[in-house]
Amino acid sequence: MDLALAMAPAALAIAASPFGIIPAILFLFTPRPRVGAGAFLTGWLLGIAAGFLLAALAGAWLADWSPGPALPWVKRGLGVLLIGLGARNLLARGKAAETPGWMRGIETATPAAAARLGLMLSLANPKVLLLALAAGALALEAGLAVGSGLAGSALLFAAAASATVALPLLAHLLLGEAALRPLGRARDWLVANNGLVVGGVLALIGLKLLLG
């Protein structure tokens, strides 16, 4: 329970990130909505789990396979990076930005391309990756050994962090086309306010890692 509570802020921050939610919604406006959204969700979830395991395994290796003096420095470094990214998000909010290339390609994406996009936007996105790394470091500090317990925690963390990416697909499965109008409004709100939401949460988690 203590570990779950410690990892909850990072999972919530990833869940609030528009980098997963916006594509998850956009795929529902394509010719094969459920296939594309499902493939994207799979890639997104696997990328988060991989980032979690990467941090835990790296921390274990640095600390000779047990939480040791290297781990607090890993946490502090991640904390500083998260605070910096949070400040950058807050300062940049409200600025107009070009539509990213990956967003323009969603309309014609194959299922394989959708899964690759999910991996790229999670595992190769600095904000999402750092949050997954921070959660992995917390798991190692809590005493989880490298093995099934750590892998299970990675999957549970990834599932919790991916809940908001799964919700649009679930809404479409349950409600069909009727879900598209409210999902479109949610997408527009996230685009307008993502700097404030993500920046604030990144900074708070960074402070927790830095001072904890």
PDB file of all heavy atoms in Angstrom, residues 21-40 106-107 164-184 187:
ATOM      1  N   ILE A  21      -3.619  11.072 -24.165  1.00  0.00           N
ATOM      2  CA  ILE A  21      -5.071  11.206 -24.293  1.00  0.00           C
ATOM      3  C   ILE A  21      -5.468  11.734 -25.674  1.00  0.00           C
ATOM      4  O   ILE A  21      -6.412  11.226 -26.294  1.00  0.00           O
ATOM      5  CB  ILE A  21      -5.621  12.134 -23.191  1.00  0.00           C
ATOM      6  CG1 ILE A  21      -5.264  11.582 -21.805  1.00  0.00           C
ATOM      7  CG2 ILE A  21      -7.138  12.254 -23.317  1.00  0.00           C
ATOM      8  CD1 ILE A  21      -5.583  12.525 -20.675  1.00  0.00           C
ATOM      9  N   ILE A  22      -4.771  12.757 -26.154  1.00  0.00           N
ATOM     10  CA  ILE A  22      -5.157  13.360 -27.436  1.00  0.00           C
ATOM     11  C   ILE A  22      -5.064  12.357 -28.586  1.00  0.00           C
ATOM     12  O   ILE A  22      -6.021  12.207 -29.358  1.00  0.00           O
ATOM     13  CB  ILE A  22      -4.330  14.631 -27.710  1.00  0.00           C
ATOM     14  CG1 ILE A  22      -4.702  15.718 -26.690  1.00  0.00           C
ATOM     15  CG2 ILE A  22      -4.557  15.134 -29.132  1.00  0.00           C
ATOM     16  CD1 ILE A  22      -3.838  16.958 -26.758  1.00  0.00           C
ATOM     17  N   PRO A  23      -3.946  11.611 -28.745  1.00  0.00           N
ATOM     18  CA  PRO A  23      -3.927  10.603 -29.816  1.00  0.00           C
ATOM     19  C   PRO A  23      -4.988   9.523 -29.617  1.00  0.00           C
ATOM     20  O   PRO A  23      -5.572   9.046 -30.600  1.00  0.00           O
ATOM     21  CB  PRO A  23      -2.519  10.013 -29.733  1.00  0.00           C
ATOM     22  CG  PRO A  23      -1.712  11.031 -29.015  1.00  0.00           C
ATOM     23  CD  PRO A  23      -2.649  11.706 -28.078  1.00  0.00           C
ATOM     24  N   ALA A  24      -5.216   9.127 -28.355  1.00  0.00           N
ATOM     25  CA  ALA A  24      -6.229   8.097 -28.096  1.00  0.00           C
ATOM     26  C   ALA A  24      -7.597   8.546 -28.598  1.00  0.00           C
ATOM     27  O   ALA A  24      -8.382   7.734 -29.109  1.00  0.00           O
ATOM     28  CB  ALA A  24      -6.285   7.786 -26.603  1.00  0.00           C
ATOM     29  N   ILE A  25      -7.891   9.837 -28.468  1.00  0.00           N
ATOM     30  CA  ILE A  25      -9.162  10.371 -28.971  1.00  0.00           C
ATOM     31  C   ILE A  25      -9.129  10.495 -30.494  1.00  0.00           C
ATOM     32  O   ILE A  25     -10.078  10.147 -31.189  1.00  0.00           O
ATOM     33  CB  ILE A  25      -9.469  11.729 -28.308  1.00  0.00           C
ATOM     34  CG1 ILE A  25      -9.698  11.547 -26.797  1.00  0.00           C
ATOM     35  CG2 ILE A  25     -10.694  12.371 -28.952  1.00  0.00           C
ATOM     36  CD1 ILE A  25      -9.865  12.850 -26.036  1.00  0.00           C
ATOM     37  N   LEU A  26      -8.011  11.007 -31.022  1.00  0.00           N
ATOM     38  CA  LEU A  26      -7.916  11.220 -32.471  1.00  0.00           C
ATOM     39  C   LEU A  26      -8.082   9.924 -33.253  1.00  0.00           C
ATOM     40  O   LEU A  26      -8.669   9.914 -34.343  1.00  0.00           O
ATOM     41  CB  LEU A  26      -6.579  11.875 -32.817  1.00  0.00           C
ATOM     42  CG  LEU A  26      -6.410  13.332 -32.386  1.00  0.00           C
ATOM     43  CD1 LEU A  26      -5.008  13.824 -32.707  1.00  0.00           C
ATOM     44  CD2 LEU A  26      -7.443  14.216 -33.072  1.00  0.00           C
ATOM     45  N   PHE A  27      -7.571   8.827 -32.713  1.00  0.00           N
ATOM     46  CA  PHE A  27      -7.708   7.544 -33.413  1.00  0.00           C
ATOM     47  C   PHE A  27      -9.176   7.137 -33.555  1.00  0.00           C
ATOM     48  O   PHE A  27      -9.525   6.379 -34.466  1.00  0.00           O
ATOM     49  CB  PHE A  27      -6.926   6.448 -32.697  1.00  0.00           C
ATOM     50  CG  PHE A  27      -5.494   6.353 -33.130  1.00  0.00           C
ATOM     51  CD1 PHE A  27      -4.473   6.745 -32.289  1.00  0.00           C
ATOM     52  CD2 PHE A  27      -5.165   5.879 -34.396  1.00  0.00           C
ATOM     53  CE1 PHE A  27      -3.138   6.676 -32.686  1.00  0.00           C
ATOM     54  CE2 PHE A  27      -3.844   5.793 -34.813  1.00  0.00           C
ATOM     55  CZ  PHE A  27      -2.826   6.201 -33.962  1.00  0.00           C
ATOM     56  N   LEU A  28     -10.027   7.629 -32.678  1.00  0.00           N
ATOM     57  CA  LEU A  28     -11.445   7.289 -32.749  1.00  0.00           C
ATOM     58  C   LEU A  28     -12.170   8.026 -33.868  1.00  0.00           C
ATOM     59  O   LEU A  28     -13.337   7.735 -34.150  1.00  0.00           O
ATOM     60  CB  LEU A  28     -12.119   7.578 -31.400  1.00  0.00           C
ATOM     61  CG  LEU A  28     -11.616   6.713 -30.233  1.00  0.00           C
ATOM     62  CD1 LEU A  28     -12.278   7.134 -28.935  1.00  0.00           C
ATOM     63  CD2 LEU A  28     -11.860   5.228 -30.502  1.00  0.00           C
ATOM     64  N   PHE A  29     -11.501   8.974 -34.503  1.00  0.00           N
ATOM     65  CA  PHE A  29     -12.082   9.703 -35.632  1.00  0.00           C
ATOM     66  C   PHE A  29     -11.536   9.191 -36.969  1.00  0.00           C
ATOM     67  O   PHE A  29     -11.730   9.828 -38.006  1.00  0.00           O
ATOM     68  CB  PHE A  29     -11.803  11.202 -35.490  1.00  0.00           C
ATOM     69  CG  PHE A  29     -12.562  11.859 -34.364  1.00  0.00           C
ATOM     70  CD1 PHE A  29     -12.063  11.829 -33.070  1.00  0.00           C
ATOM     71  CD2 PHE A  29     -13.775  12.486 -34.593  1.00  0.00           C
ATOM     72  CE1 PHE A  29     -12.761  12.432 -32.021  1.00  0.00           C
ATOM     73  CE2 PHE A  29     -14.482  13.089 -33.557  1.00  0.00           C
ATOM     74  CZ  PHE A  29     -13.975  13.061 -32.263  1.00  0.00           C
ATOM     75  N   THR A  30     -10.823   8.055 -36.941  1.00  0.00           N
ATOM     76  CA  THR A  30     -10.239   7.479 -38.152  1.00  0.00           C
ATOM     77  C   THR A  30     -11.160   6.383 -38.710  1.00  0.00           C
ATOM     78  O   THR A  30     -12.109   5.963 -38.031  1.00  0.00           O
ATOM     79  CB  THR A  30      -8.854   6.881 -37.856  1.00  0.00           C
ATOM     80  OG1 THR A  30      -8.996   5.805 -36.915  1.00  0.00           O
ATOM     81  CG2 THR A  30      -7.909   7.936 -37.284  1.00  0.00           C
ATOM     82  N   PRO A  31     -10.892   5.897 -39.934  1.00  0.00           N
ATOM     83  CA  PRO A  31     -11.761   4.855 -40.512  1.00  0.00           C
ATOM     84  C   PRO A  31     -11.838   3.566 -39.700  1.00  0.00           C
ATOM     85  O   PRO A  31     -12.847   2.856 -39.764  1.00  0.00           O
ATOM     86  CB  PRO A  31     -11.125   4.606 -41.893  1.00  0.00           C
ATOM     87  CG  PRO A  31     -10.428   5.878 -42.223  1.00  0.00           C
ATOM     88  CD  PRO A  31      -9.920   6.402 -40.917  1.00  0.00           C
ATOM     89  N   ARG A  32     -10.761   3.210 -38.980  1.00  0.00           N
ATOM     90  CA  ARG A  32     -10.774   1.990 -38.144  1.00  0.00           C
ATOM     91  C   ARG A  32     -10.507   2.402 -36.691  1.00  0.00           C
ATOM     92  O   ARG A  32      -9.439   2.168 -36.137  1.00  0.00           O
ATOM     93  CB  ARG A  32      -9.715   1.003 -38.621  1.00  0.00           C
ATOM     94  CG  ARG A  32      -9.916   0.569 -40.077  1.00  0.00           C
ATOM     95  CD  ARG A  32      -8.790  -0.345 -40.531  1.00  0.00           C
ATOM     96  NE  ARG A  32      -8.806  -1.623 -39.824  1.00  0.00           N
ATOM     97  CZ  ARG A  32      -7.804  -2.494 -39.841  1.00  0.00           C
ATOM     98  NH1 ARG A  32      -6.689  -2.205 -40.516  1.00  0.00           N
ATOM     99  NH2 ARG A  32      -7.890  -3.632 -39.197  1.00  0.00           N
ATOM    100  N   PRO A  33     -11.489   3.036 -36.056  1.00  0.00           N
ATOM    101  CA  PRO A  33     -11.239   3.686 -34.762  1.00  0.00           C
ATOM    102  C   PRO A  33     -10.797   2.752 -33.646  1.00  0.00           C
ATOM    103  O   PRO A  33      -9.833   3.046 -32.933  1.00  0.00           O
ATOM    104  CB  PRO A  33     -12.584   4.343 -34.437  1.00  0.00           C
ATOM    105  CG  PRO A  33     -13.596   3.602 -35.248  1.00  0.00           C
ATOM    106  CD  PRO A  33     -12.879   3.180 -36.488  1.00  0.00           C
ATOM    107  N   ARG A  34     -11.460   1.625 -33.501  1.00  0.00           N
ATOM    108  CA  ARG A  34     -11.168   0.768 -32.352  1.00  0.00           C
ATOM    109  C   ARG A  34      -9.849   0.021 -32.515  1.00  0.00           C
ATOM    110  O   ARG A  34      -9.118  -0.161 -31.546  1.00  0.00           O
ATOM    111  CB  ARG A  34     -12.327  -0.203 -32.131  1.00  0.00           C
ATOM    112  CG  ARG A  34     -13.617   0.525 -31.773  1.00  0.00           C
ATOM    113  CD  ARG A  34     -14.814  -0.389 -31.660  1.00  0.00           C
ATOM    114  NE  ARG A  34     -16.023   0.374 -31.367  1.00  0.00           N
ATOM    115  CZ  ARG A  34     -17.232  -0.150 -31.236  1.00  0.00           C
ATOM    116  NH1 ARG A  34     -17.402  -1.469 -31.388  1.00  0.00           N
ATOM    117  NH2 ARG A  34     -18.265   0.612 -30.964  1.00  0.00           N
ATOM    118  N   VAL A  35      -9.546  -0.375 -33.743  1.00  0.00           N
ATOM    119  CA  VAL A  35      -8.279  -1.063 -33.997  1.00  0.00           C
ATOM    120  C   VAL A  35      -7.109  -0.105 -33.752  1.00  0.00           C
ATOM    121  O   VAL A  35      -6.139  -0.449 -33.069  1.00  0.00           O
ATOM    122  CB  VAL A  35      -8.234  -1.605 -35.438  1.00  0.00           C
ATOM    123  CG1 VAL A  35      -6.857  -2.179 -35.756  1.00  0.00           C
ATOM    124  CG2 VAL A  35      -9.303  -2.669 -35.629  1.00  0.00           C
ATOM    125  N   GLY A  36      -7.192   1.102 -34.298  1.00  0.00           N
ATOM    126  CA  GLY A  36      -6.115   2.075 -34.112  1.00  0.00           C
ATOM    127  C   GLY A  36      -5.938   2.484 -32.667  1.00  0.00           C
ATOM    128  O   GLY A  36      -4.820   2.532 -32.155  1.00  0.00           O
ATOM    129  N   ALA A  37      -7.063   2.771 -31.986  1.00  0.00           N
ATOM    130  CA  ALA A  37      -6.982   3.190 -30.583  1.00  0.00           C
ATOM    131  C   ALA A  37      -6.448   2.060 -29.707  1.00  0.00           C
ATOM    132  O   ALA A  37      -5.667   2.297 -28.772  1.00  0.00           O
ATOM    133  CB  ALA A  37      -8.357   3.635 -30.093  1.00  0.00           C
ATOM    134  N   GLY A  38      -6.840   0.810 -29.999  1.00  0.00           N
ATOM    135  CA  GLY A  38      -6.349  -0.325 -29.215  1.00  0.00           C
ATOM    136  C   GLY A  38      -4.864  -0.551 -29.410  1.00  0.00           C
ATOM    137  O   GLY A  38      -4.136  -0.846 -28.451  1.00  0.00           O
ATOM    138  N   ALA A  39      -4.400  -0.422 -30.660  1.00  0.00           N
ATOM    139  CA  ALA A  39      -2.973  -0.587 -30.929  1.00  0.00           C
ATOM    140  C   ALA A  39      -2.156   0.522 -30.262  1.00  0.00           C
ATOM    141  O   ALA A  39      -1.088   0.267 -29.693  1.00  0.00           O
ATOM    142  CB  ALA A  39      -2.724  -0.588 -32.436  1.00  0.00           C
ATOM    143  N   PHE A  40      -2.669   1.745 -30.317  1.00  0.00           N
ATOM    144  CA  PHE A  40      -1.969   2.853 -29.658  1.00  0.00           C
ATOM    145  C   PHE A  40      -1.892   2.625 -28.156  1.00  0.00           C
ATOM    146  O   PHE A  40      -0.836   2.832 -27.538  1.00  0.00           O
ATOM    147  CB  PHE A  40      -2.680   4.175 -29.953  1.00  0.00           C
ATOM    148  CG  PHE A  40      -2.086   5.343 -29.218  1.00  0.00           C
ATOM    149  CD1 PHE A  40      -0.927   5.958 -29.682  1.00  0.00           C
ATOM    150  CD2 PHE A  40      -2.655   5.815 -28.043  1.00  0.00           C
ATOM    151  CE1 PHE A  40      -0.354   7.020 -28.991  1.00  0.00           C
ATOM    152  CE2 PHE A  40      -2.090   6.868 -27.347  1.00  0.00           C
ATOM    153  CZ  PHE A  40      -0.938   7.474 -27.829  1.00  0.00           C
ATOM    154  N   ILE A 106      -1.966  10.438 -38.059  1.00  0.00           N
ATOM    155  CA  ILE A 106      -2.861   9.494 -37.387  1.00  0.00           C
ATOM    156  C   ILE A 106      -3.961   8.999 -38.321  1.00  0.00           C
ATOM    157  O   ILE A 106      -4.337   7.825 -38.292  1.00  0.00           O
ATOM    158  CB  ILE A 106      -3.456  10.140 -36.116  1.00  0.00           C
ATOM    159  CG1 ILE A 106      -2.401  10.130 -34.994  1.00  0.00           C
ATOM    160  CG2 ILE A 106      -4.722   9.414 -35.656  1.00  0.00           C
ATOM    161  CD1 ILE A 106      -2.846  10.788 -33.711  1.00  0.00           C
ATOM    162  N   GLU A 107      -4.468   9.871 -39.173  1.00  0.00           N
ATOM    163  CA  GLU A 107      -5.594   9.518 -40.049  1.00  0.00           C
ATOM    164  C   GLU A 107      -5.294   8.289 -40.902  1.00  0.00           C
ATOM    165  O   GLU A 107      -6.185   7.463 -41.147  1.00  0.00           O
ATOM    166  CB  GLU A 107      -5.926  10.719 -40.947  1.00  0.00           C
ATOM    167  CG  GLU A 107      -7.082  10.494 -41.906  1.00  0.00           C
ATOM    168  CD  GLU A 107      -8.435  10.402 -41.217  1.00  0.00           C
ATOM    169  OE1 GLU A 107      -8.580  10.959 -40.100  1.00  0.00           O
ATOM    170  OE2 GLU A 107      -9.329   9.765 -41.793  1.00  0.00           O
ATOM    171  N   THR A 164      -6.454   6.825 -18.540  1.00  0.00           N
ATOM    172  CA  THR A 164      -7.108   7.874 -19.325  1.00  0.00           C
ATOM    173  C   THR A 164      -6.949   7.646 -20.830  1.00  0.00           C
ATOM    174  O   THR A 164      -7.719   8.190 -21.622  1.00  0.00           O
ATOM    175  CB  THR A 164      -6.540   9.250 -18.964  1.00  0.00           C
ATOM    176  OG1 THR A 164      -5.106   9.188 -19.008  1.00  0.00           O
ATOM    177  CG2 THR A 164      -6.973   9.679 -17.576  1.00  0.00           C
ATOM    178  N   VAL A 165      -5.940   6.870 -21.223  1.00  0.00           N
ATOM    179  CA  VAL A 165      -5.778   6.520 -22.644  1.00  0.00           C
ATOM    180  C   VAL A 165      -6.771   5.416 -23.017  1.00  0.00           C
ATOM    181  O   VAL A 165      -7.247   5.361 -24.153  1.00  0.00           O
ATOM    182  CB  VAL A 165      -4.326   6.083 -22.918  1.00  0.00           C
ATOM    183  CG1 VAL A 165      -4.145   5.630 -24.357  1.00  0.00           C
ATOM    184  CG2 VAL A 165      -3.370   7.234 -22.615  1.00  0.00           C
ATOM    185  N   ALA A 166      -7.091   4.562 -22.063  1.00  0.00           N
ATOM    186  CA  ALA A 166      -8.061   3.488 -22.312  1.00  0.00           C
ATOM    187  C   ALA A 166      -9.499   3.986 -22.278  1.00  0.00           C
ATOM    188  O   ALA A 166     -10.367   3.418 -22.957  1.00  0.00           O
ATOM    189  CB  ALA A 166      -7.871   2.380 -21.274  1.00  0.00           C
ATOM    190  N   LEU A 167      -9.775   5.050 -21.517  1.00  0.00           N
ATOM    191  CA  LEU A 167     -11.159   5.502 -21.342  1.00  0.00           C
ATOM    192  C   LEU A 167     -11.848   5.914 -22.642  1.00  0.00           C
ATOM    193  O   LEU A 167     -13.020   5.563 -22.848  1.00  0.00           O
ATOM    194  CB  LEU A 167     -11.202   6.655 -20.331  1.00  0.00           C
ATOM    195  CG  LEU A 167     -11.188   6.236 -18.860  1.00  0.00           C
ATOM    196  CD1 LEU A 167     -11.108   7.464 -17.958  1.00  0.00           C
ATOM    197  CD2 LEU A 167     -12.431   5.410 -18.523  1.00  0.00           C
ATOM    198  N   PRO A 168     -11.182   6.666 -23.546  1.00  0.00           N
ATOM    199  CA  PRO A 168     -11.875   7.004 -24.807  1.00  0.00           C
ATOM    200  C   PRO A 168     -12.289   5.762 -25.599  1.00  0.00           C
ATOM    201  O   PRO A 168     -13.404   5.714 -26.145  1.00  0.00           O
ATOM    202  CB  PRO A 168     -10.824   7.831 -25.565  1.00  0.00           C
ATOM    203  CG  PRO A 168      -9.973   8.423 -24.500  1.00  0.00           C
ATOM    204  CD  PRO A 168      -9.892   7.365 -23.439  1.00  0.00           C
ATOM    205  N   LEU A 169     -11.390   4.766 -25.670  1.00  0.00           N
ATOM    206  CA  LEU A 169     -11.723   3.535 -26.379  1.00  0.00           C
ATOM    207  C   LEU A 169     -12.886   2.821 -25.698  1.00  0.00           C
ATOM    208  O   LEU A 169     -13.814   2.335 -26.357  1.00  0.00           O
ATOM    209  CB  LEU A 169     -10.497   2.626 -26.437  1.00  0.00           C
ATOM    210  CG  LEU A 169     -10.703   1.241 -27.061  1.00  0.00           C
ATOM    211  CD1 LEU A 169     -11.231   1.346 -28.482  1.00  0.00           C
ATOM    212  CD2 LEU A 169      -9.400   0.441 -27.015  1.00  0.00           C
ATOM    213  N   LEU A 170     -12.854   2.761 -24.360  1.00  0.00           N
ATOM    214  CA  LEU A 170     -13.947   2.122 -23.622  1.00  0.00           C
ATOM    215  C   LEU A 170     -15.269   2.852 -23.871  1.00  0.00           C
ATOM    216  O   LEU A 170     -16.314   2.219 -24.074  1.00  0.00           O
ATOM    217  CB  LEU A 170     -13.619   2.107 -22.130  1.00  0.00           C
ATOM    218  CG  LEU A 170     -14.647   1.458 -21.198  1.00  0.00           C
ATOM    219  CD1 LEU A 170     -14.854  -0.005 -21.566  1.00  0.00           C
ATOM    220  CD2 LEU A 170     -14.205   1.590 -19.749  1.00  0.00           C
ATOM    221  N   ALA A 171     -15.219   4.196 -23.877  1.00  0.00           N
ATOM    222  CA  ALA A 171     -16.435   4.972 -24.136  1.00  0.00           C
ATOM    223  C   ALA A 171     -16.976   4.690 -25.534  1.00  0.00           C
ATOM    224  O   ALA A 171     -18.195   4.566 -25.725  1.00  0.00           O
ATOM    225  CB  ALA A 171     -16.135   6.465 -23.980  1.00  0.00           C
ATOM    226  N   HIS A 172     -16.086   4.551 -26.501  1.00  0.00           N
ATOM    227  CA  HIS A 172     -16.524   4.266 -27.870  1.00  0.00           C
ATOM    228  C   HIS A 172     -17.113   2.861 -27.972  1.00  0.00           C
ATOM    229  O   HIS A 172     -18.093   2.641 -28.701  1.00  0.00           O
ATOM    230  CB  HIS A 172     -15.342   4.422 -28.827  1.00  0.00           C
ATOM    231  CG  HIS A 172     -15.733   4.505 -30.272  1.00  0.00           C
ATOM    232  ND1 HIS A 172     -15.931   3.396 -31.056  1.00  0.00           N
ATOM    233  CD2 HIS A 172     -15.971   5.578 -31.074  1.00  0.00           C
ATOM    234  CE1 HIS A 172     -16.263   3.772 -32.279  1.00  0.00           C
ATOM    235  NE2 HIS A 172     -16.292   5.088 -32.314  1.00  0.00           N
ATOM    236  N   LEU A 173     -16.520   1.911 -27.252  1.00  0.00           N
ATOM    237  CA  LEU A 173     -17.052   0.546 -27.260  1.00  0.00           C
ATOM    238  C   LEU A 173     -18.452   0.496 -26.663  1.00  0.00           C
ATOM    239  O   LEU A 173     -19.317  -0.256 -27.122  1.00  0.00           O
ATOM    240  CB  LEU A 173     -16.119  -0.384 -26.477  1.00  0.00           C
ATOM    241  CG  LEU A 173     -14.772  -0.712 -27.138  1.00  0.00           C
ATOM    242  CD1 LEU A 173     -13.863  -1.430 -26.146  1.00  0.00           C
ATOM    243  CD2 LEU A 173     -14.979  -1.570 -28.384  1.00  0.00           C
ATOM    244  N   LEU A 174     -18.690   1.311 -25.626  1.00  0.00           N
ATOM    245  CA  LEU A 174     -19.980   1.284 -24.939  1.00  0.00           C
ATOM    246  C   LEU A 174     -21.036   2.151 -25.617  1.00  0.00           C
ATOM    247  O   LEU A 174     -22.215   1.789 -25.669  1.00  0.00           O
ATOM    248  CB  LEU A 174     -19.802   1.739 -23.482  1.00  0.00           C
ATOM    249  CG  LEU A 174     -18.973   0.819 -22.577  1.00  0.00           C
ATOM    250  CD1 LEU A 174     -18.759   1.460 -21.221  1.00  0.00           C
ATOM    251  CD2 LEU A 174     -19.639  -0.539 -22.429  1.00  0.00           C
ATOM    252  N   LEU A 175     -20.607   3.325 -26.137  1.00  0.00           N
ATOM    253  CA  LEU A 175     -21.569   4.314 -26.632  1.00  0.00           C
ATOM    254  C   LEU A 175     -21.545   4.515 -28.142  1.00  0.00           C
ATOM    255  O   LEU A 175     -22.424   5.173 -28.693  1.00  0.00           O
ATOM    256  CB  LEU A 175     -21.317   5.665 -25.946  1.00  0.00           C
ATOM    257  CG  LEU A 175     -21.373   5.670 -24.420  1.00  0.00           C
ATOM    258  CD1 LEU A 175     -20.958   7.030 -23.876  1.00  0.00           C
ATOM    259  CD2 LEU A 175     -22.768   5.289 -23.934  1.00  0.00           C
ATOM    260  N   GLY A 176     -20.506   3.979 -28.791  1.00  0.00           N
ATOM    261  CA  GLY A 176     -20.414   4.154 -30.230  1.00  0.00           C
ATOM    262  C   GLY A 176     -20.153   5.604 -30.619  1.00  0.00           C
ATOM    263  O   GLY A 176     -19.462   6.344 -29.913  1.00  0.00           O
ATOM    264  N   GLU A 177     -20.760   6.052 -31.731  1.00  0.00           N
ATOM    265  CA  GLU A 177     -20.524   7.400 -32.256  1.00  0.00           C
ATOM    266  C   GLU A 177     -20.979   8.484 -31.292  1.00  0.00           C
ATOM    267  O   GLU A 177     -20.502   9.626 -31.355  1.00  0.00           O
ATOM    268  CB  GLU A 177     -21.259   7.561 -33.591  1.00  0.00           C
ATOM    269  CG  GLU A 177     -20.808   6.599 -34.672  1.00  0.00           C
ATOM    270  CD  GLU A 177     -19.352   6.799 -35.048  1.00  0.00           C
ATOM    271  OE1 GLU A 177     -18.950   7.953 -35.272  1.00  0.00           O
ATOM    272  OE2 GLU A 177     -18.612   5.799 -35.106  1.00  0.00           O
ATOM    273  N   ALA A 178     -21.890   8.169 -30.387  1.00  0.00           N
ATOM    274  CA  ALA A 178     -22.379   9.170 -29.437  1.00  0.00           C
ATOM    275  C   ALA A 178     -21.271   9.672 -28.509  1.00  0.00           C
ATOM    276  O   ALA A 178     -21.388  10.749 -27.909  1.00  0.00           O
ATOM    277  CB  ALA A 178     -23.521   8.584 -28.605  1.00  0.00           C
ATOM    278  N   ALA A 179     -20.180   8.902 -28.379  1.00  0.00           N
ATOM    279  CA  ALA A 179     -19.081   9.310 -27.492  1.00  0.00           C
ATOM    280  C   ALA A 179     -18.182  10.358 -28.122  1.00  0.00           C
ATOM    281  O   ALA A 179     -17.412  11.010 -27.409  1.00  0.00           O
ATOM    282  CB  ALA A 179     -18.253   8.081 -27.112  1.00  0.00           C
ATOM    283  N   LEU A 180     -18.261  10.550 -29.439  1.00  0.00           N
ATOM    284  CA  LEU A 180     -17.281  11.391 -30.112  1.00  0.00           C
ATOM    285  C   LEU A 180     -17.405  12.872 -29.756  1.00  0.00           C
ATOM    286  O   LEU A 180     -16.394  13.567 -29.644  1.00  0.00           O
ATOM    287  CB  LEU A 180     -17.392  11.199 -31.629  1.00  0.00           C
ATOM    288  CG  LEU A 180     -17.016   9.805 -32.144  1.00  0.00           C
ATOM    289  CD1 LEU A 180     -17.149   9.747 -33.650  1.00  0.00           C
ATOM    290  CD2 LEU A 180     -15.601   9.438 -31.716  1.00  0.00           C
ATOM    291  N   ARG A 181     -18.624  13.368 -29.599  1.00  0.00           N
ATOM    292  CA  ARG A 181     -18.770  14.808 -29.301  1.00  0.00           C
ATOM    293  C   ARG A 181     -18.147  15.189 -27.958  1.00  0.00           C
ATOM    294  O   ARG A 181     -17.338  16.105 -27.897  1.00  0.00           O
ATOM    295  CB  ARG A 181     -20.239  15.217 -29.361  1.00  0.00           C
ATOM    296  CG  ARG A 181     -20.448  16.715 -29.100  1.00  0.00           C
ATOM    297  CD  ARG A 181     -21.870  17.127 -29.335  1.00  0.00           C
ATOM    298  NE  ARG A 181     -22.220  17.042 -30.747  1.00  0.00           N
ATOM    299  CZ  ARG A 181     -23.421  17.374 -31.229  1.00  0.00           C
ATOM    300  NH1 ARG A 181     -24.377  17.789 -30.418  1.00  0.00           N
ATOM    301  NH2 ARG A 181     -23.662  17.279 -32.528  1.00  0.00           N
ATOM    302  N   PRO A 182     -18.495  14.502 -26.845  1.00  0.00           N
ATOM    303  CA  PRO A 182     -17.832  14.853 -25.579  1.00  0.00           C
ATOM    304  C   PRO A 182     -16.331  14.590 -25.587  1.00  0.00           C
ATOM    305  O   PRO A 182     -15.559  15.316 -24.962  1.00  0.00           O
ATOM    306  CB  PRO A 182     -18.543  13.980 -24.531  1.00  0.00           C
ATOM    307  CG  PRO A 182     -19.224  12.904 -25.310  1.00  0.00           C
ATOM    308  CD  PRO A 182     -19.552  13.503 -26.631  1.00  0.00           C
ATOM    309  N   LEU A 183     -15.893  13.556 -26.297  1.00  0.00           N
ATOM    310  CA  LEU A 183     -14.456  13.291 -26.393  1.00  0.00           C
ATOM    311  C   LEU A 183     -13.743  14.407 -27.151  1.00  0.00           C
ATOM    312  O   LEU A 183     -12.623  14.783 -26.802  1.00  0.00           O
ATOM    313  CB  LEU A 183     -14.216  11.945 -27.086  1.00  0.00           C
ATOM    314  CG  LEU A 183     -14.531  10.692 -26.260  1.00  0.00           C
ATOM    315  CD1 LEU A 183     -14.424   9.450 -27.125  1.00  0.00           C
ATOM    316  CD2 LEU A 183     -13.604  10.591 -25.058  1.00  0.00           C
ATOM    317  N   GLY A 184     -14.388  14.942 -28.160  1.00  0.00           N
ATOM    318  CA  GLY A 184     -13.800  16.071 -28.880  1.00  0.00           C
ATOM    319  C   GLY A 184     -13.656  17.283 -27.987  1.00  0.00           C
ATOM    320  O   GLY A 184     -12.646  18.004 -28.054  1.00  0.00           O
ATOM    321  N   ARG A 187     -10.704  16.701 -25.693  1.00  0.00           N
ATOM    322  CA  ARG A 187      -9.461  16.906 -26.427  1.00  0.00           C
ATOM    323  C   ARG A 187      -9.118  18.393 -26.520  1.00  0.00           C
ATOM    324  O   ARG A 187      -7.981  18.801 -26.277  1.00  0.00           O
ATOM    325  CB  ARG A 187      -9.604  16.308 -27.824  1.00  0.00           C
ATOM    326  CG  ARG A 187      -8.451  16.581 -28.774  1.00  0.00           C
ATOM    327  CD  ARG A 187      -8.882  16.353 -30.204  1.00  0.00           C
ATOM    328  NE  ARG A 187     -10.009  17.216 -30.556  1.00  0.00           N
ATOM    329  CZ  ARG A 187     -10.840  16.985 -31.564  1.00  0.00           C
ATOM    330  NH1 ARG A 187     -10.690  15.918 -32.323  1.00  0.00           N
ATOM    331  NH2 ARG A 187     -11.838  17.816 -31.822  1.00  0.00           N
TER     332      ARG A 187
END
